[in-house]
Amino acid sequence: MTLERKVASFFLLTDENWMKHANPWSVYTRYSVLPLIVLAFWSRIWIGWWCLIPGLLAISWMFFNPIFFSKPKSTKNWASKSVLGERVYLNRDKVPIPDIHVTYLYSILNFISAMGMFLSIWAVVYYSVWGAVLGVALAYLGKSWYLDRMVWLYESMKSETEEYRKWEY
């Protein structure tokens, strides 16, 4: 089982929920999660421990966002294809992906995104505005580039299985 499949199961991403997550609204509103978390915990300077309420709401949004929206009317867009590519990537132990996609780039991009997230956490602890801005930007740069590579992967693989073909409509 791939690490990505374990993460997907944590977020309750069944076949039906993957298609809900392929809704562009799900993809684009998910970009709100890290800034909301940063702002929520930054607010401890103004509202003290009450910051846990918006913080927990933001973390809940991260968890429920992939299953909150309905299936998209069409998956022929960048956002939907990025999610479908993630599905293809996590399924690589069952359906091999082309050699050009067997690369450390995906791990590097996820590492960049994680470093941005950790910088954001550090910035919240030490009230560094520039650290928060840089951390969020770095996290989203890595994540956006990764999602773009997932679109490419899906485009490369969509004709490989009947299941992958059915995802695009």
Side-chain angles (χ1 to χ4, degrees):
M1 177 180 275
T2 60
L3 172 64
E4 292 83 4
R5 190 174 290 118
K6 290 177 185 175
V7 171
S9 66
F10 177 76
F11 283 98
L12 306 174
L13 289 174
T14 61
D15 287 343
E16 181 181 344
N17 288 343
W18 267 110
M19 292 313 291
K20 290 179 179 182
H21 187 35
N23 187 321
W25 281 100
S26 175
V27 174
Y28 293 126
T29 58
R30 193 142 168 128
Y31 277 89
S32 68
V33 170
L34 187 56
L36 287 174
I37 291 172
V38 167
L39 185 59
F41 289 108
W42 194 290
S43 71
R44 73 186 187 279
I45 197 168
W46 307 298
I47 59 175
W49 287 103
W50 289 102
C51 73
L52 293 176
I53 293 171
L56 291 174
L57 287 172
I59 291 169
S60 296
W61 175 239
M62 175 183 65
F63 185 77
F64 290 111
N65 173 283
I67 59 175
F68 180 77
F69 296 92
S70 61
K71 291 181 181 180
K73 293 178 181 171
S74 171
T75 58
K76 294 181 179 183
N77 58 74
W78 182 89
S80 294
K81 289 178 182 181
S82 70
V83 171
L84 300 177
E86 287 181 302
R87 279 189 84 178
V88 168
Y89 189 65
L90 75 83
N91 200 35
R92 69 190 180 279
D93 60 336
K94 294 180 180 176
V95 179
I97 60 176
D99 288 342
I100 196 164
H101 294 286
V102 179
T103 175
Y104 289 109
L105 178 62
Y106 303 144
S107 297
I108 292 168
L109 294 174
N110 283 326
F111 178 77
I112 290 169
S113 187
M115 288 300 98
M117 188 179 63
F118 288 126
L119 179 57
S120 298
I121 291 168
W122 174 87
V124 167
V125 170
Y126 292 101
Y127 293 111
S128 170
V129 172
W130 291 110
V133 170
L134 180 61
V136 169
L138 196 59
Y140 287 159
L141 172 72
K143 185 63 175 179
S144 296
W145 192 357
Y146 174 80
L147 291 178
D148 189 62
R149 300 300 80 201
M150 293 297 104
V151 171
W152 181 30
L153 175 60
Y154 178 69
E155 289 292 342
S156 299
M157 294 290 294
K158 68 183 176 185
S159 62
E160 293 299 313
T161 72
E162 181 61 30
E163 180 183 15
Y164 295 172
R165 277 190 291 278
K166 288 192 292 187
W167 292 347
E168 187 174 57
Y169 54 88

